[in-house]
Amino acid sequence: MRLPYCYEQLLSRLEDSTSGRRLALLSVHTKIEKFLLAEVLFSVAKLRDFECVLEDRPGRRDLTVRRRSDGSLVEWVEAKMCYSDCVARLLTNKGNADEYSALLASDAKKQRTAPRSTAELTTILFVVHRTEPHAKHKYYPGFSNRGELPAIRILREARRYCTKAIPEKTGRRVVEDFRVTLARHTVLHCFVYRDQRLAR
């Protein structure tokens, strides 16, 4: 099925905006995938023929897009959010380096067990990259985990992992790869994956 939207289009309104700056600040304290999916929902709501639902319960879908006319499923989305440091662990020598490829592979497996339909089955990884440390960062205070590594090396490794390791582990390919500047020192990198047979 060919979708009438892409995620870069749906999230572009965050680029250096008040909403983007809020999300950048919030990302220091908590993971923001539900807030990003809410932005997607808000953007899809502007498309007259489609509606989104956030299904925020264990075992349910993260987000669905349906046709307003008949309720048919257009897209099922499973999303995760992490920090660039989470997907650069091979470089920083931290444990659980393959955590996110395993999580996205699990999401893809869950989607593949659903009854066959023409709906797109999509997994998304939102990767927040900070170029400067933040002393009160909940997960990486001051980014001491980086040691002497510059932020650009962390980003390069994160991008390599998201474009090479995750597709290998999940059996999906990257169908969208874009970035949105949320605020000074904070950039959101978005990786959208789909199965080969469904990718456009």
Side-chain angles (χ1 to χ4, degrees):
M1 169 179 287
R2 191 157 186 85
L3 297 176
Y5 55 83
C6 66
Y7 284 88
E8 184 171 12
Q9 168 196 359
L10 296 176
L11 293 170
S12 63
R13 61 183 291 277
L14 294 174
E15 180 77 28
D16 201 24
S17 67
T18 300
S19 295
R21 288 187 287 278
R22 285 183 183 132
L23 287 171
L25 181 59
L26 195 58
S27 73
V28 170
H29 305 285
T30 189
K31 294 196 173 181
I32 60 171
E33 68 266 22
K34 291 299 178 192
F35 299 99
L36 292 166
L37 289 176
E39 291 292 332
V40 169
L41 186 148
F42 179 75
S43 294
V44 169
K46 294 178 181 177
L47 303 173
R48 187 173 33 184
D49 299 331
F50 301 92
E51 62 183 356
C52 271
V53 175
L54 282 170
E55 300 187 17
D56 192 16
R57 288 182 285 167
R60 301 289 299 216
R61 301 163 177 179
D62 284 347
L63 181 137
T64 55
V65 180
R66 296 182 182 276
R67 290 192 190 282
R68 288 186 194 277
S69 58
D70 61 7
S72 61
L73 185 65
V74 173
E75 185 178 26
W76 168 4
V77 178
E78 291 293 324
K80 298 282 184 281
M81 178 254 151
C82 67
Y83 304 94
S84 54
D85 297 69
C86 298
V87 284
R89 291 175 183 159
L90 286 173
L91 182 63
T92 59
N93 294 314
K94 302 299 175 188
N96 207 5
D98 284 324
E99 177 183 7
Y100 283 90
S101 60
L103 288 170
L104 268 69
S106 176
D107 283 344
K109 182 179 178 183
K110 178 170 90 169
Q111 289 176 322
R112 290 180 188 123
T113 61
R116 290 181 63 96
S117 77
T118 58
E120 293 284 10
L121 305 177
T122 304
T123 46
I124 301 176
L125 185 61
F126 299 116
V127 180
V128 174
H129 177 69
R130 283 190 59 88
T131 56
E132 296 291 330
H134 191 290
K136 294 187 178 178
H137 197 287
K138 179 178 177 181
Y139 299 93
Y140 296 103
F143 286 128
S144 59
N145 61 296
R146 291 181 181 176
E148 298 298 314
L149 293 168
I152 191 65
R153 285 203 54 204
I154 297 294
L155 179 59
R156 279 193 204 119
E157 172 57 18
R159 288 192 53 76
R160 183 208 63 79
Y161 186 87
C162 292
T163 58
K164 302 287 191 252
I166 289 176
E168 287 173 12
K169 180 81 171 182
T170 63
R172 291 189 163 177
R173 72 179 186 112
V174 178
V175 294
E176 283 191 68
D177 171 0
F178 63 95
R179 53 178 273 168
V180 177
T181 300
L182 299 178
R184 188 169 176 250
H185 302 309
T186 308
V187 177
L188 175 68
H189 293 263
C190 302
F191 301 91
V192 180
Y193 306 92
R194 292 196 186 102
D195 286 343
Q196 293 287 348
R197 65 183 180 82
L198 291 176
R200 297 285 180 258

